[in-house]
Amino acid sequence: MLEQKILDEEIKLFRVGNLYRIYGKTFEVKEELEKAGAKWNAENKKLEISLDNFEKLSEGIKRKVFELEEKQREMSLENIAHIIMSGQIKVYLNQDEEYQIYGRTKDIYKDLQNLGFSLNENNYTLRKEDFERIFPNEVKEFINEYSNKKSDKTQQEEQQEESVYEEEYEEEYEQINMIGY
């Protein structure tokens, strides 16, 4: 009965770190879940199963769980790509060769985690290779476009600072020559 409930998506398992959390209509199959190694985590108020016990489940159950994980990843990718393209969040390549997300991520943290982003020092990051493998070309081109604009703007600002400095230097030099030093 447990397997059928999982195959019918009445019960779903989602990987969280080094275990799977179990959601759905579990009461009718609680004895089967206990036999499979599922335990109630009182601290998190969630039903969980270890990776080792998950591996002991039938191939049909594991296939269904992996299928749902893949669907969730695809939905997360579509959502994050849309949010990037709409400009709601910005993504930049940092000095560690990781793509870093800037903006309100509170509402999309699950989608970010589904795609492999990690929370590092209050920012979500993903290795460059993984980002480029996962995201479609249009998203990468969009990011490169505004990153290049930012680079151009930074260069322009530096050039302006340089010319202001040169003008100030020339004025000081002229004043010194007028005084007769």
Side-chain angles (χ1 to χ4, degrees):
M1 197 158 144
L2 172 63
E3 183 165 353
Q4 194 56 50
K5 284 188 164 291
I6 291 172
L7 296 177
D8 292 342
E9 297 182 23
E10 291 177 33
I11 296 176
K12 296 180 181 179
L13 284 77
F14 294 102
R15 187 167 179 169
V16 179
N18 60 353
L19 53 84
Y20 278 86
R21 291 224 171 110
I22 304 167
Y23 300 92
K25 299 177 181 179
T26 59
F27 186 77
E28 292 177 11
V29 291
K30 74 178 192 175
E31 289 176 17
E32 280 185 78
L33 285 166
E34 285 176 13
K35 285 179 186 172
K39 294 188 181 349
W40 179 255
N41 182 327
E43 185 179 324
N44 293 327
K45 296 182 177 154
K46 306 282 184 201
L47 189 58
E48 301 172 342
I49 189 167
S50 70
L51 291 178
D52 289 339
N53 285 330
F54 174 80
E55 287 300 322
K56 295 175 187 172
L57 296 174
S58 75
E59 289 303 312
I61 289 175
K62 291 189 285 189
R63 246 190 327 273
K64 185 63 172 182
V65 170
F66 296 146
E67 174 189 315
L68 289 176
E69 284 177 342
E70 187 56 34
K71 272 188 200 173
Q72 188 63 46
R73 253 192 299 283
E74 288 172 16
M75 288 173 26
S76 293
L77 178 60
E78 287 177 22
N79 187 37
I80 298 300
H82 172 75
I83 290 171
I84 291 170
M85 299 290 284
S86 70
Q88 295 175 42
I89 59 174
K90 296 286 184 191
V91 182
Y92 294 102
L93 190 61
N94 66 21
Q95 68 274 11
D96 296 329
E97 293 290 301
E98 296 174 320
Y99 278 93
Q100 190 167 337
I101 302 277
Y102 292 91
R104 288 189 50 102
T105 55
K106 186 178 181 180
D107 299 333
I108 58 170
Y109 76 95
K110 285 185 181 178
D111 287 330
L112 292 168
Q113 289 174 338
N114 285 340
L115 296 177
F117 280 86
S118 302
L119 184 60
N120 297 319
E121 298 177 19
N122 299 325
N123 291 304
Y124 283 94
T125 59
L126 183 66
R127 286 187 10 236
K128 180 180 178 182
E129 304 83 41
D130 294 334
F131 187 92
E132 291 178 351
R133 178 179 46 81
I134 294 171
F135 281 89
N137 287 335
E138 64 186 14
V139 172
K140 293 181 278 192
E141 289 168 7
F142 181 79
I143 291 168
N144 286 336
E145 210 173 281
Y146 67 70
S147 292
N148 289 338
K149 285 181 184 176
K150 184 179 180 197
S151 295
D152 292 345
K153 189 176 180 180
T154 304
Q155 269 183 327
Q156 287 174 348
E157 288 171 357
E158 287 173 1
Q159 286 173 348
Q160 283 177 336
E161 277 183 33
E162 214 172 276
S163 66
V164 166
Y165 176 76
E166 286 174 6
E167 287 173 15
E168 288 174 357
Y169 178 77
E170 287 174 9
E171 284 177 19
E172 283 180 37
Y173 184 76
E174 287 176 13
Q175 287 177 351
I176 291 172
N177 283 338
M178 288 172 57
I179 298 175
Y181 280 96

